[in-house]
Amino acid sequence: MDDADRADDRPVSTVERKREQRGWYFYDFACSVYSTSVLTVFLGPYLTSIAKSAADAEGFVHPLGVPVRAGSLFAYAVSASVIVAVVLMPIVGAAADRSGRKKPLLAAAAYTGAAATAGMFFLDGQRYLLGAVLLIVANAALSVSMVLYNAYLPQIAGPEERDHVSSRGWAFGYTSGAGVLVLNLILYSGHDGFGVSESTAVRICLASAGVWWGAFTLVPLRRLRDRKVAVPASEGAASVSEGRVGAGWRQLVSTLRDMRARPLTLAFLLAYLIYNDGVQTVISQASIYGSEELGLDQNTLIVAVLLVQLLAVAGALGMGRLARTHGAKRTILGSLAVWAVILGVGFFLPARQPVLFFILAAAIGTVLGGSQALSRSLFSHLVPRGKEAEYFSAYEMSDRGLSWLGPLVFGLAYQLTGSYRDAIISLVVFFVVGFVLLARVPVRAAVAAAGNPVPARI
């Protein structure tokens, strides 16, 4: 790779910019299959079953000599992946901004995650420890890659088109997630007809997500381009000689100081941290609520997941259009009000009524994609030029690394009341508090404070 390919700051035509945007969409198309098929549907139950088969008489496995209840292994592995990601994201983000070379780092993170996911084909017998390690690697790699992926948004889209571009990226992701999940479910439900066991069908589904992730990552790697960064003369020699990890942490400290000087950006991040924690908890706990409280079977829950994926495509695109008229902030606020209503309806939902559960899933899908896409595009306006990856590492940490409070509230509510209905309604507080905090952020002033042009609608 020559210098021109590494850091290109030449002006681009509209045709070139659109081509780069289309390439950017395809990373969501590539990696969303992992989130849908692996994390949401197949890996949790399958890894738990492997751990249970390896457990002792008391139901414990002993990774590295530590006693762990087999049913908790998946959750602990996810938590461990979050810790690894939180350590890596700011280092990689700072390195990307200092060097201007996001694309090689994106390639490294993407193919690390894809390889780990493809390696899940070998999870047979009692290889629960291999499964936990592969999950940690894949999850952490996805988080790091999303920092770099999101950091491209303010570089490939102007202020007025950013909501639209972000929404289309989410729509691409939900489209691939739904499409591949349909194929996986055909294989899983008809595994006898395909001449494979149920275990082999699951392992094929897991591995196929890694192959898909790696194959379609080629598209953004061919179309995205790196930009040159301006390095002060006083830093030039030092930045070449200092270690990358040390430089990353020093730059992280500098970034945190810089963010303290931009309180409006921090105010948005706080609001996002809270309401997104509510979103992620609803998504992760909806299947438990459906099975344990509403008495719905696995097939009903899987169809509901598919419905969410399909409706999220339309929701992301539709809310992107609403943002053009009403602005991203108002549209997000509207979606948070809808989220609160959804939880209220879910509280009163009668048991063993799959049609009503599907209607609720459709409502979730409608607001899910749009609230996520517009939050990303709105934050991109609050990022100072040249610090995209660093700031998006903080954003991604809010998205993935700090999403523990919602599950904790959900768990405590159930522990204290013994009712999943009380647990699900307790999550309303995240949307109410997030709404209030976001409503108080003067986003036009925040954009101007970041040194960016203020769009006509935001």
Side-chain angles (χ1 to χ4, degrees), residues 58 89 99 106 111 196 269 279 310 334 355 364 427 447:
E58 286 76 35
M89 283 190 293
S99 67
L106 175 61
Y111 282 107
V196 297
L269 265 182
V279 170
L310 293 172
V355 174
I364 290 175
L427 300 178
V447 175

Side-chain angles (χ1 to χ4, degrees), residues 177-379:
V180 174
L181 184 56
V182 168
L183 296 177
N184 286 340
L185 290 177
I186 291 173
L187 172 62
Y188 175 73
S189 60
H191 60 84
D192 288 335
F194 290 101
V196 297
S197 66
E198 180 178 321
S199 172
T200 301
V202 171
R203 292 189 291 116
I204 292 173
C205 292
L206 294 172
S208 67
V211 174
W212 181 282
W213 186 356
F216 284 98
T217 295
L218 291 172
V219 179
L221 292 181
R222 286 182 63 86
R223 295 193 175 186
L224 292 173
R225 64 188 185 89
D226 286 331
R227 275 78 173 168
K228 290 180 179 178
V229 293
V231 180
S234 60
E235 295 184 13
S239 63
V240 173
S241 60
E242 63 188 354
R244 289 188 178 184
V245 174
W249 280 110
R250 280 188 285 274
Q251 187 60 51
L252 172 61
V253 172
S254 175
T255 301
L256 293 175
R257 289 173 180 164
D258 187 72
M259 293 185 71
R260 287 178 60 189
R262 304 178 194 280
L264 298 181
T265 299
L266 280 177
F268 171 82
L269 265 182
L270 177 61
Y272 174 74
L273 183 156
I274 292 174
Y275 71 72
N276 184 65
D277 201 356
V279 170
Q280 298 303 323
T281 306
V282 172
I283 297 304
S284 65
Q285 303 302 321
S287 61
I288 294 177
Y289 184 70
S291 61
E292 299 297 326
E293 186 68 38
L294 303 182
L296 302 175
D297 58 32
Q298 185 66 26
N299 286 337
T300 299
L301 297 176
I302 291 175
V303 172
V305 170
L306 273 173
L307 191 59
V308 169
Q309 295 292 308
L310 293 172
L311 268 295
V313 176
L317 297 176
M319 287 180 63
R321 293 190 181 96
L322 280 176
R324 297 183 198 175
T325 304
H326 302 288
K329 177 183 173 180
R330 289 183 179 178
T331 307
I332 295 170
L333 289 172
S335 76
L336 298 182
V338 174
W339 274 109
V341 171
I342 287 171
L343 291 177
V345 173
F347 177 80
F348 293 104
L349 204 65
R352 297 176 182 83
Q353 295 291 328
V355 174
L356 296 180
F357 189 73
F358 291 153
I359 293 173
L360 198 66
I364 290 175
T366 301
V367 292
L368 174 63
S371 58
Q372 291 176 320
L374 294 178
S375 295
R376 177 172 64 185
S377 63
L378 180 55
F379 182 70

Side-chain angles (χ1 to χ4, degrees), residues 156-196:
I156 65 172
E160 302 295 343
E161 60 180 344
R162 215 165 284 169
D163 293 340
H164 171 71
V165 171
S166 182
S167 297
R168 285 181 66 89
W170 277 107
F172 266 59
Y174 283 118
T175 299
S176 71
V180 174
L181 184 56
V182 168
L183 296 177
N184 286 340
L185 290 177
I186 291 173
L187 172 62
Y188 175 73
S189 60
H191 60 84
D192 288 335
F194 290 101
V196 297

Side-chain angles (χ1 to χ4, degrees), residues 106-131:
L106 175 61
Y111 282 107
T112 297
T117 306
M120 292 176 185
F121 179 79
F122 300 102
L123 298 183
D124 56 357
Q126 298 183 351
R127 296 177 176 174
Y128 70 90
L129 186 55
L130 174 62

